[in-house]
Amino acid sequence: MNKLALVTGGTRGIGAEISRHLKAAGRVVVASYAGNDAAAAAFAEETGIAVKKFDAGSFEACETAVAEITAEFGTIEILVNNAGITRDGTLPKMSRDMWDAVIDTNLGSCFNLCKLTFDGMRAAKFGRIVNIGSINGQAGQYGQVNYAAAKSGIHGFTKALAQEGARFGITCNAIAPGYVDTDMVRAVPPDVLAKIIARIPVGRLGHADDIARGVLFLTADNADFVTGSTLSINGGQHMY
Ligand code: CAA
């Protein structure tokens, strides 16, 4: 049961809840973060979960981090690519930097960390990869061509890697959360958010643990027949 899990963006929001759930399920967890030292320190203090600061969008930073984590804790057998940012704006107002930042962090991080952990999982004959996509990668969202492209890319990436990993005991699945009550969603203008919530049949924003429970299902030791799937957890907002 004591398999090692790396959760990117794992100290805040949905990622923090994923980290907590994996630890409660008996996993050894390392939660990565990129910027907010105070939140990471408070999270580590509260949970006893190890935290590691690196930019998941940088291949070099991931290379160093994976080497250090492996040396300290062992093989990463469970990988949750949760790190994500938004840089919303309509296309005319979107700069190339806003595009690059979202593609690198949200999609590039999946490539970086899957590539750097795949060999270890293959040697262990066990791997569980969960990539956190989004309803907005499935349905699109006004003001998010960058984010929708990155998240949609995650869904394709997941299905391709699932085919490569299957014969090595490595599963690769995606979760597509809807609008979940986190700092990221609270940053949406209130009038826009009110309209979005009005379109959620369940009638509320998601909670981070609604997503974390999905990660537990997909990373279970006996979940080896579930691969290449996308689990939509969105209160019925988009049935896909
Ligand atoms: N559909 C159609 N038209 C829309 C629209 C929509 N969804 N939203 C805005 N518009 C229209 C406006 O009515 C306005 O029209 P007029 O000029 O005729 O009045 C025009 O577009 C410009 O709108 P804004 O003045 O709001 O433009 P802006 O550039 O200031 O802001 C925006 C645009 C950044 C996209 C802002 O509306 C916004 O932040 N929207 C929310 C985007 C969103 O949902 N992001 C999700 C973040 S959470 C997340 O991503 C997590 C996850 O996975 C779910």
Side-chain angles (χ1 to χ4, degrees):
M1 276 295 273
N2 289 332
K3 293 189 168 71
L4 175 62
L6 172 63
V7 182
T8 65
T11 64
R12 294 197 299 133
I14 292 173
E17 206 52 33
I18 293 170
S19 298
R20 284 194 191 92
H21 275 65
L22 286 170
K23 185 184 181 205
R27 308 306 194 180
V28 177
V29 179
V30 176
S32 86
Y33 72 103
N36 192 331
D37 293 316
F43 174 81
E45 169 85 20
E46 178 219 326
T47 61
I49 291 172
V51 298
K52 181 94 182 155
K53 184 176 186 177
F54 65 94
D55 175 3
S58 155
F59 189 78
E60 292 72 27
C62 290
E63 233 175 350
T64 305
V66 168
E68 289 174 358
I69 292 167
T70 305
E72 188 173 351
F73 298 97
T75 302
I76 296 166
E77 293 181 78
I78 300 165
L79 171 64
V80 184
N81 285 307
N82 164 76
I85 60 170
T86 52
R87 296 286 182 273
D88 292 355
T90 51
L91 185 65
K93 293 183 190 167
M94 187 176 291
S95 67
R96 178 70 202 205
D97 284 350
M98 292 162 79
W99 169 266
D100 287 339
V102 169
I103 297 294
D104 288 350
T105 299
N106 298 13
L107 180 58
S109 59
C110 292
F111 172 81
N112 297 341
L113 288 160
C114 288
K115 181 169 173 62
L116 291 164
T117 58
F118 194 83
D119 283 348
M121 293 181 189
R122 186 162 59 181
K125 297 186 173 59
F126 179 94
R128 296 282 179 270
I129 297 169
V130 179
N131 299 319
I132 304 299
S134 169
I135 186 175
N136 294 348
Q138 297 170 311
Q141 170 62 39
Y142 191 100
Q144 282 200 313
V145 294
N146 50 2
Y147 188 89
K151 292 296 190 178
S152 177
I154 284 176
H155 295 302
F157 177 100
T158 298
K159 292 173 196 174
L161 189 58
Q163 294 179 34
E164 295 187 22
R167 65 199 167 107
F168 305 118
I170 302 169
T171 66
C172 184
N173 293 284
I175 293 182
Y179 281 72
V180 178
D181 190 11
T182 61
D183 290 346
M184 183 185 277
V185 166
R186 276 178 230 124
V188 173
D191 55 323
V192 177
L193 189 57
K195 285 183 196 148
I196 290 169
I197 295 172
R199 292 201 305 268
I200 303 175
V202 168
R204 65 165 174 87
L205 292 175
H207 302 310
D209 67 288
D210 293 324
I211 311 304
R213 284 197 301 278
V215 173
L216 280 195
F217 169 69
L218 294 171
T219 57
D221 286 350
N222 62 0
D224 56 307
F225 203 63
V226 186
T227 196
S229 70
T230 299
L231 179 57
S232 295
I233 305 178
N234 61 29
Q237 188 182 345
H238 182 65
M239 300 183 190
Y240 181 76

